[in-house]
Amino acid sequence: MCGIVGYVGYREATKVLIDGLSRLEYRGYDSAGVAVLNGSGLKVERAVGRLNNLAIKLKEHPLTGTLGIGHTRWATHGVPSERNAHPHSSQDGSVSLIHNGIIENYRELKAELQAKGVEFKSETDTECMAHLVADCYSGDLLKALHAALTRAHLRGGNALVVAHKNHPDQVVCVRRGSPLVIGIGKDENFVASDVTALLPYTRRVIFLGEGELASVSRSGAKVYDENLKEIPAHVETTDLSIEAAEKGGFEHFMLKEIHEQPTAIEATLRGRVADSHIDLRELNLDPARLKQVKRIQLIACGTSLYSAMVGKYLFEHFTRIPTETSSASEYRYAEPVIDKDCLVIAVSQSGETADTLEALRLAKAAGAQSISICNVMGSSIPRLCDATLYTRAGPEIGVASTKAYVTQLVGFIMLAAGLGRIVGATTEAAERTLVNGLKQLPEQVKKLLDSDIVGVKRCAKRYQSVFNFMYIGRHFNFPTALEGALKLKEISYIHAEGYAGGEMKHGPLALVEGTFPTIAIAPKGKTREKMISNIQEIKARKGVVVVVATEGDQEARELADYLIEIPECLEELSPVLAVVPLQLLAYYTATQLGRDVDKPRNLAKSVTVE
Ligand code: F6R
């Protein structure tokens, strides 16, 4: 949430900043701004709305200089407006800074500064830090940032990057709860909130650790701990490619990412499924400790929460250990019962979601074992966990999660069956069957993507002017209904609800009438017959039903107004296949309505505020 870029080198900074921000725009797109240092001091340009508005302004009023900082915002405090856009500057204009996160105690800080005569120009929480750094400055920028942090007793997750008019070869930064990565180039160096911003320039990176500060100059970067003691900087080479962070000929990242699902699943399975068993040795799990687990708690948000809901069914199916799923934002305040016999699994694409991170911290503090399922290597959630199963979906840039979701499902299947074997609840034969099924998934998703698009497009066209949708499913595919509804509402802005099929008769059936569409997820499995009954109940009330069923299901064909067929698979694998047409349905409905699919209104990726 909020994209940050800093540059010190020999190129025109604005070019690097705008280019970097364009790769980070998915993190926020309410407003954007840059500050560039040149002979006449720090010059700031900001614009409300998309990054392109800023780019146009910069064309009209170019800023020259080879050091700069840039930001793309997702508003937290203060409406999206030019004066609330970052960078924010100190009263005398000597300091400019950019920020990702929330300063929870900013009101106290602001009051303190105002009492000293500081005039605030914005409604943001960020601005107080610009004034504080200026106030603490006496020639050393890093010390000034450190002193400002000490004075501020910042509450909340934050990342800050600071430039000063007296320092033509230095930007300083700190990571406190929100990610920051430093890019190492030749005679130029970078700071960014995400490695994707750096890929055109360098693949050599330093991931700042929690609480660490850094000083970045043209010739290098130095890293410091929270006491300002210099510590060794670990330079890594990222294996992400620039192509992975670009659209590759697709109209939207979301569509590209939907089409990447076969390879993402394949990559997530690689090395983890052998001939007849699941091999999770890379996680270094301790079987003796796992055998003590009495309860499993799954925590996540949004789409990841829905994969965790499938995870609950999978864990109970394969391990017979009682499992609960909680929305991370609820978990923290629900007084969860946690002890050392509890295994907590945190699920997150970004690895930075503030609610999930805080819930995980709570569980760890209470002594729980912890595992994460995560897509971003080295992000905060895996760093906190005893073990991580990385989904290998590659960068997910569309705000609506797609390939991360299916790879999380695959991660859950492997983890649940692997744990099932350790605790003796899964038989070798069941594991063999599962492995066979898993291996077929990439090809089956590919087939689905190749075959069903026309039907889904037609369906999207037919129902694009409907205001409400119902999605229903049971057991493994109840979360599929929730996820299908979420995809539709977040990118098309059409209201959609996900419901357990069996619950329809307890209330929502009252909504059904001639024009009301229900998407019923009814693949082969033990709940199929019950789903068919639910569909019949809707048809009897003249409702419209789009049915997602297993290929060759004649009864579903006869009942459906639209039939979407998925390949035959094991019941526990069906959520992986059933969600794909629902992603496409949401995508084509949204594009036909002219929505900005990759950047839906009011949202941003990687939610680093609570
Ligand atoms: C919806 C979506 C969000 C995220 C949620 C959690 O399409 O992408 O609901 O799933 O914000 O994010 P992560 O998985 O990064 O923790």
mmCIF file of all heavy atoms in Angstrom, residues 278 280-281 283-293 318-319 321 371 414-427 431:
data_model
loop_
_atom_site.group_PDB
_atom_site.id
_atom_site.type_symbol
_atom_site.label_atom_id
_atom_site.label_comp_id
_atom_site.label_asym_id
_atom_site.label_seq_id
_atom_site.Cartn_x
_atom_site.Cartn_y
_atom_site.Cartn_z
ATOM 1 N N ILE A 278 4.040 -36.579 -1.061
ATOM 2 C CA ILE A 278 4.325 -35.148 -0.975
ATOM 3 C C ILE A 278 5.616 -34.980 -0.186
ATOM 4 O O ILE A 278 5.793 -35.594 0.867
ATOM 5 C CB ILE A 278 3.127 -34.432 -0.320
ATOM 6 C CG1 ILE A 278 2.011 -34.385 -1.374
ATOM 7 C CG2 ILE A 278 3.467 -33.033 0.143
ATOM 8 C CD1 ILE A 278 0.658 -34.278 -0.836
ATOM 9 N N LEU A 280 7.878 -32.400 1.656
ATOM 10 C CA LEU A 280 7.995 -31.032 2.186
ATOM 11 C C LEU A 280 9.262 -30.876 3.033
ATOM 12 O O LEU A 280 9.303 -30.079 3.974
ATOM 13 C CB LEU A 280 6.748 -30.680 3.015
ATOM 14 C CG LEU A 280 5.433 -30.618 2.229
ATOM 15 C CD1 LEU A 280 4.265 -30.280 3.133
ATOM 16 C CD2 LEU A 280 5.506 -29.602 1.092
ATOM 17 N N ARG A 281 10.307 -31.625 2.664
ATOM 18 C CA ARG A 281 11.535 -31.562 3.464
ATOM 19 C C ARG A 281 12.115 -30.155 3.527
ATOM 20 O O ARG A 281 12.711 -29.759 4.512
ATOM 21 C CB ARG A 281 12.583 -32.530 2.904
ATOM 22 C CG ARG A 281 12.407 -33.934 3.464
ATOM 23 C CD ARG A 281 13.377 -34.867 2.866
ATOM 24 N NE ARG A 281 13.176 -34.943 1.409
ATOM 25 C CZ ARG A 281 13.901 -35.696 0.592
ATOM 26 N NH1 ARG A 281 14.872 -36.435 1.066
ATOM 27 N NH2 ARG A 281 13.658 -35.717 -0.703
ATOM 28 N N LEU A 283 10.844 -27.534 4.123
ATOM 29 C CA LEU A 283 10.280 -26.710 5.203
ATOM 30 C C LEU A 283 10.925 -27.003 6.560
ATOM 31 O O LEU A 283 10.697 -26.275 7.525
ATOM 32 C CB LEU A 283 8.762 -26.947 5.322
ATOM 33 C CG LEU A 283 7.872 -25.998 4.545
ATOM 34 C CD1 LEU A 283 8.058 -26.179 3.041
ATOM 35 C CD2 LEU A 283 6.411 -26.212 4.899
ATOM 36 N N ASN A 284 11.732 -28.080 6.600
ATOM 37 C CA ASN A 284 12.384 -28.471 7.863
ATOM 38 C C ASN A 284 11.406 -28.576 9.027
ATOM 39 O O ASN A 284 11.668 -28.083 10.120
ATOM 40 C CB ASN A 284 13.465 -27.447 8.251
ATOM 41 C CG ASN A 284 14.711 -27.695 7.456
ATOM 42 O OD1 ASN A 284 15.035 -28.853 7.154
ATOM 43 N ND2 ASN A 284 15.385 -26.621 7.088
ATOM 44 N N LEU A 285 10.264 -29.169 8.779
ATOM 45 C CA LEU A 285 9.270 -29.295 9.845
ATOM 46 C C LEU A 285 9.770 -30.310 10.869
ATOM 47 O O LEU A 285 10.465 -31.266 10.509
ATOM 48 C CB LEU A 285 7.925 -29.745 9.263
ATOM 49 C CG LEU A 285 7.294 -28.786 8.250
ATOM 50 C CD1 LEU A 285 6.097 -29.427 7.568
ATOM 51 C CD2 LEU A 285 6.893 -27.479 8.923
ATOM 52 N N ASP A 286 9.418 -30.112 12.117
ATOM 53 C CA ASP A 286 9.848 -31.025 13.163
ATOM 54 C C ASP A 286 8.693 -31.989 13.466
ATOM 55 O O ASP A 286 7.713 -31.611 14.117
ATOM 56 C CB ASP A 286 10.227 -30.188 14.402
ATOM 57 C CG ASP A 286 10.600 -31.057 15.592
ATOM 58 O OD1 ASP A 286 10.445 -32.297 15.509
ATOM 59 O OD2 ASP A 286 11.026 -30.487 16.609
ATOM 60 N N PRO A 287 8.787 -33.256 12.984
ATOM 61 C CA PRO A 287 7.655 -34.183 13.149
ATOM 62 C C PRO A 287 7.248 -34.348 14.610
ATOM 63 O O PRO A 287 6.051 -34.408 14.913
ATOM 64 C CB PRO A 287 8.173 -35.509 12.574
ATOM 65 C CG PRO A 287 9.335 -35.133 11.729
ATOM 66 C CD PRO A 287 9.902 -33.858 12.282
ATOM 67 N N ALA A 288 8.236 -34.378 15.517
ATOM 68 C CA ALA A 288 7.890 -34.587 16.933
ATOM 69 C C ALA A 288 7.020 -33.438 17.431
ATOM 70 O O ALA A 288 6.019 -33.652 18.124
ATOM 71 C CB ALA A 288 9.164 -34.681 17.764
ATOM 72 N N ARG A 289 7.374 -32.219 17.052
ATOM 73 C CA ARG A 289 6.570 -31.053 17.498
ATOM 74 C C ARG A 289 5.202 -31.064 16.841
ATOM 75 O O ARG A 289 4.193 -30.756 17.471
ATOM 76 C CB ARG A 289 7.294 -29.758 17.110
ATOM 77 C CG ARG A 289 8.119 -29.196 18.237
ATOM 78 C CD ARG A 289 8.494 -27.749 17.963
ATOM 79 N NE ARG A 289 7.607 -26.795 18.610
ATOM 80 C CZ ARG A 289 7.557 -25.503 18.316
ATOM 81 N NH1 ARG A 289 8.339 -25.023 17.362
ATOM 82 N NH2 ARG A 289 6.741 -24.686 18.938
ATOM 83 N N LEU A 290 5.193 -31.442 15.567
ATOM 84 C CA LEU A 290 3.904 -31.422 14.853
ATOM 85 C C LEU A 290 2.934 -32.453 15.426
ATOM 86 O O LEU A 290 1.724 -32.244 15.431
ATOM 87 C CB LEU A 290 4.115 -31.649 13.361
ATOM 88 C CG LEU A 290 4.699 -30.440 12.624
ATOM 89 C CD1 LEU A 290 5.022 -30.796 11.182
ATOM 90 C CD2 LEU A 290 3.732 -29.255 12.655
ATOM 91 N N LYS A 291 3.498 -33.544 15.924
ATOM 92 C CA LYS A 291 2.624 -34.583 16.494
ATOM 93 C C LYS A 291 1.932 -34.086 17.757
ATOM 94 O O LYS A 291 0.959 -34.664 18.215
ATOM 95 C CB LYS A 291 3.431 -35.837 16.787
ATOM 96 C CG LYS A 291 3.647 -36.663 15.530
ATOM 97 C CD LYS A 291 4.398 -37.931 15.810
ATOM 98 C CE LYS A 291 4.715 -38.616 14.501
ATOM 99 N NZ LYS A 291 5.836 -39.526 14.566
ATOM 100 N N GLN A 292 2.478 -33.016 18.360
ATOM 101 C CA GLN A 292 1.852 -32.478 19.582
ATOM 102 C C GLN A 292 0.703 -31.506 19.272
ATOM 103 O O GLN A 292 0.005 -31.063 20.179
ATOM 104 C CB GLN A 292 2.890 -31.719 20.399
ATOM 105 C CG GLN A 292 3.886 -32.641 21.069
ATOM 106 C CD GLN A 292 5.098 -31.881 21.573
ATOM 107 O OE1 GLN A 292 5.174 -30.662 21.472
ATOM 108 N NE2 GLN A 292 6.050 -32.616 22.100
ATOM 109 N N VAL A 293 0.569 -31.188 17.993
ATOM 110 C CA VAL A 293 -0.447 -30.179 17.648
ATOM 111 C C VAL A 293 -1.853 -30.701 17.933
ATOM 112 O O VAL A 293 -2.237 -31.769 17.469
ATOM 113 C CB VAL A 293 -0.319 -29.772 16.149
ATOM 114 C CG1 VAL A 293 -1.498 -28.919 15.711
ATOM 115 C CG2 VAL A 293 0.995 -29.041 15.911
ATOM 116 N N PHE A 318 -7.593 -34.301 5.999
ATOM 117 C CA PHE A 318 -6.356 -35.090 5.935
ATOM 118 C C PHE A 318 -5.728 -35.373 7.297
ATOM 119 O O PHE A 318 -4.961 -36.320 7.433
ATOM 120 C CB PHE A 318 -5.313 -34.379 5.063
ATOM 121 C CG PHE A 318 -5.604 -34.457 3.591
ATOM 122 C CD1 PHE A 318 -5.954 -33.323 2.865
ATOM 123 C CD2 PHE A 318 -5.529 -35.673 2.913
ATOM 124 C CE1 PHE A 318 -6.230 -33.396 1.504
ATOM 125 C CE2 PHE A 318 -5.793 -35.756 1.552
ATOM 126 C CZ PHE A 318 -6.151 -34.620 0.848
ATOM 127 N N THR A 319 -5.975 -34.508 8.296
ATOM 128 C CA THR A 319 -5.266 -34.715 9.572
ATOM 129 C C THR A 319 -6.189 -35.074 10.723
ATOM 130 O O THR A 319 -5.725 -35.566 11.747
ATOM 131 C CB THR A 319 -4.506 -33.430 10.010
ATOM 132 O OG1 THR A 319 -5.464 -32.429 10.371
ATOM 133 C CG2 THR A 319 -3.602 -32.897 8.923
ATOM 134 N N ILE A 321 -7.315 -33.054 12.695
ATOM 135 C CA ILE A 321 -7.029 -32.130 13.800
ATOM 136 C C ILE A 321 -8.031 -30.966 13.685
ATOM 137 O O ILE A 321 -8.175 -30.388 12.604
ATOM 138 C CB ILE A 321 -5.583 -31.592 13.721
ATOM 139 C CG1 ILE A 321 -4.582 -32.757 13.809
ATOM 140 C CG2 ILE A 321 -5.308 -30.563 14.814
ATOM 141 C CD1 ILE A 321 -3.140 -32.346 13.582
ATOM 142 N N ILE A 371 3.533 -21.511 10.769
ATOM 143 C CA ILE A 371 3.915 -21.777 9.378
ATOM 144 C C ILE A 371 3.244 -20.699 8.549
ATOM 145 O O ILE A 371 2.152 -20.252 8.891
ATOM 146 C CB ILE A 371 3.431 -23.180 8.924
ATOM 147 C CG1 ILE A 371 4.081 -24.281 9.768
ATOM 148 C CG2 ILE A 371 3.714 -23.415 7.440
ATOM 149 C CD1 ILE A 371 3.661 -25.701 9.391
ATOM 150 N N MET A 414 -0.975 -29.584 -0.203
ATOM 151 C CA MET A 414 0.276 -30.288 0.100
ATOM 152 C C MET A 414 0.549 -30.297 1.605
ATOM 153 O O MET A 414 0.948 -31.321 2.167
ATOM 154 C CB MET A 414 1.436 -29.635 -0.653
ATOM 155 C CG MET A 414 1.334 -29.824 -2.158
ATOM 156 S SD MET A 414 2.835 -29.339 -3.021
ATOM 157 C CE MET A 414 2.815 -27.584 -2.849
ATOM 158 N N LEU A 415 0.341 -29.160 2.234
ATOM 159 C CA LEU A 415 0.622 -29.054 3.666
ATOM 160 C C LEU A 415 -0.309 -29.954 4.477
ATOM 161 O O LEU A 415 0.134 -30.663 5.390
ATOM 162 C CB LEU A 415 0.428 -27.585 4.078
ATOM 163 C CG LEU A 415 1.277 -27.031 5.204
ATOM 164 C CD1 LEU A 415 2.744 -27.345 5.036
ATOM 165 C CD2 LEU A 415 1.080 -25.502 5.271
ATOM 166 N N ALA A 416 -1.582 -29.944 4.125
ATOM 167 C CA ALA A 416 -2.560 -30.741 4.888
ATOM 168 C C ALA A 416 -2.270 -32.228 4.718
ATOM 169 O O ALA A 416 -2.249 -32.984 5.695
ATOM 170 C CB ALA A 416 -3.970 -30.405 4.420
ATOM 171 N N ALA A 417 -1.989 -32.642 3.476
ATOM 172 C CA ALA A 417 -1.734 -34.073 3.259
ATOM 173 C C ALA A 417 -0.385 -34.467 3.876
ATOM 174 O O ALA A 417 -0.249 -35.553 4.453
ATOM 175 C CB ALA A 417 -1.769 -34.385 1.771
ATOM 176 N N GLY A 418 0.610 -33.556 3.763
ATOM 177 C CA GLY A 418 1.929 -33.839 4.359
ATOM 178 C C GLY A 418 1.811 -33.992 5.862
ATOM 179 O O GLY A 418 2.360 -34.925 6.457
ATOM 180 N N LEU A 419 1.070 -33.108 6.493
ATOM 181 C CA LEU A 419 0.883 -33.185 7.951
ATOM 182 C C LEU A 419 0.051 -34.424 8.300
ATOM 183 O O LEU A 419 0.316 -35.108 9.296
ATOM 184 C CB LEU A 419 0.206 -31.900 8.445
ATOM 185 C CG LEU A 419 -0.012 -31.758 9.944
ATOM 186 C CD1 LEU A 419 1.302 -31.884 10.708
ATOM 187 C CD2 LEU A 419 -0.662 -30.415 10.279
ATOM 188 N N GLY A 420 -0.911 -34.713 7.427
ATOM 189 C CA GLY A 420 -1.739 -35.907 7.632
ATOM 190 C C GLY A 420 -0.874 -37.156 7.717
ATOM 191 O O GLY A 420 -1.127 -38.056 8.532
ATOM 192 N N ARG A 421 0.159 -37.215 6.883
ATOM 193 C CA ARG A 421 1.037 -38.391 6.912
ATOM 194 C C ARG A 421 1.845 -38.412 8.215
ATOM 195 O O ARG A 421 1.972 -39.448 8.868
ATOM 196 C CB ARG A 421 1.965 -38.401 5.703
ATOM 197 C CG ARG A 421 2.895 -39.608 5.695
ATOM 198 C CD ARG A 421 3.436 -39.940 4.322
ATOM 199 N NE ARG A 421 3.721 -38.745 3.558
ATOM 200 C CZ ARG A 421 4.862 -38.058 3.612
ATOM 201 N NH1 ARG A 421 5.821 -38.448 4.414
ATOM 202 N NH2 ARG A 421 5.043 -36.990 2.870
ATOM 203 N N ILE A 422 2.368 -37.229 8.595
ATOM 204 C CA ILE A 422 3.180 -37.157 9.820
ATOM 205 C C ILE A 422 2.370 -37.620 11.037
ATOM 206 O O ILE A 422 2.865 -38.351 11.888
ATOM 207 C CB ILE A 422 3.716 -35.714 10.030
ATOM 208 C CG1 ILE A 422 4.757 -35.382 8.962
ATOM 209 C CG2 ILE A 422 4.319 -35.532 11.420
ATOM 210 C CD1 ILE A 422 5.212 -33.943 8.931
ATOM 211 N N VAL A 423 1.111 -37.198 11.115
ATOM 212 C CA VAL A 423 0.316 -37.575 12.297
ATOM 213 C C VAL A 423 -0.410 -38.913 12.100
ATOM 214 O O VAL A 423 -1.175 -39.344 12.953
ATOM 215 C CB VAL A 423 -0.693 -36.464 12.699
ATOM 216 C CG1 VAL A 423 0.019 -35.177 13.015
ATOM 217 C CG2 VAL A 423 -1.749 -36.244 11.619
ATOM 218 N N GLY A 424 -0.174 -39.547 10.962
ATOM 219 C CA GLY A 424 -0.719 -40.887 10.732
ATOM 220 C C GLY A 424 -2.195 -40.916 10.362
ATOM 221 O O GLY A 424 -2.856 -41.948 10.515
ATOM 222 N N ALA A 425 -2.726 -39.781 9.875
ATOM 223 C CA ALA A 425 -4.155 -39.770 9.536
ATOM 224 C C ALA A 425 -4.407 -39.975 8.043
ATOM 225 O O ALA A 425 -5.540 -40.196 7.631
ATOM 226 C CB ALA A 425 -4.788 -38.462 9.999
ATOM 227 N N THR A 426 -3.357 -39.858 7.231
ATOM 228 C CA THR A 426 -3.542 -40.028 5.784
ATOM 229 C C THR A 426 -2.843 -41.314 5.345
ATOM 230 O O THR A 426 -1.670 -41.527 5.680
ATOM 231 C CB THR A 426 -2.933 -38.826 5.014
ATOM 232 O OG1 THR A 426 -3.581 -37.656 5.468
ATOM 233 C CG2 THR A 426 -3.100 -38.949 3.522
ATOM 234 N N THR A 427 -3.527 -42.146 4.596
ATOM 235 C CA THR A 427 -2.929 -43.402 4.167
ATOM 236 C C THR A 427 -2.038 -43.162 2.944
ATOM 237 O O THR A 427 -2.195 -42.161 2.235
ATOM 238 C CB THR A 427 -4.004 -44.427 3.764
ATOM 239 O OG1 THR A 427 -4.691 -43.875 2.621
ATOM 240 C CG2 THR A 427 -4.973 -44.707 4.887
ATOM 241 N N GLU A 431 -2.612 -40.662 -0.337
ATOM 242 C CA GLU A 431 -1.601 -39.689 -0.731
ATOM 243 C C GLU A 431 -1.222 -39.884 -2.201
ATOM 244 O O GLU A 431 -1.075 -38.927 -2.961
ATOM 245 C CB GLU A 431 -0.378 -39.855 0.170
ATOM 246 C CG GLU A 431 0.556 -38.672 0.083
ATOM 247 C CD GLU A 431 1.733 -38.789 1.051
ATOM 248 O OE1 GLU A 431 1.734 -39.710 1.905
ATOM 249 O OE2 GLU A 431 2.661 -37.975 0.927
#
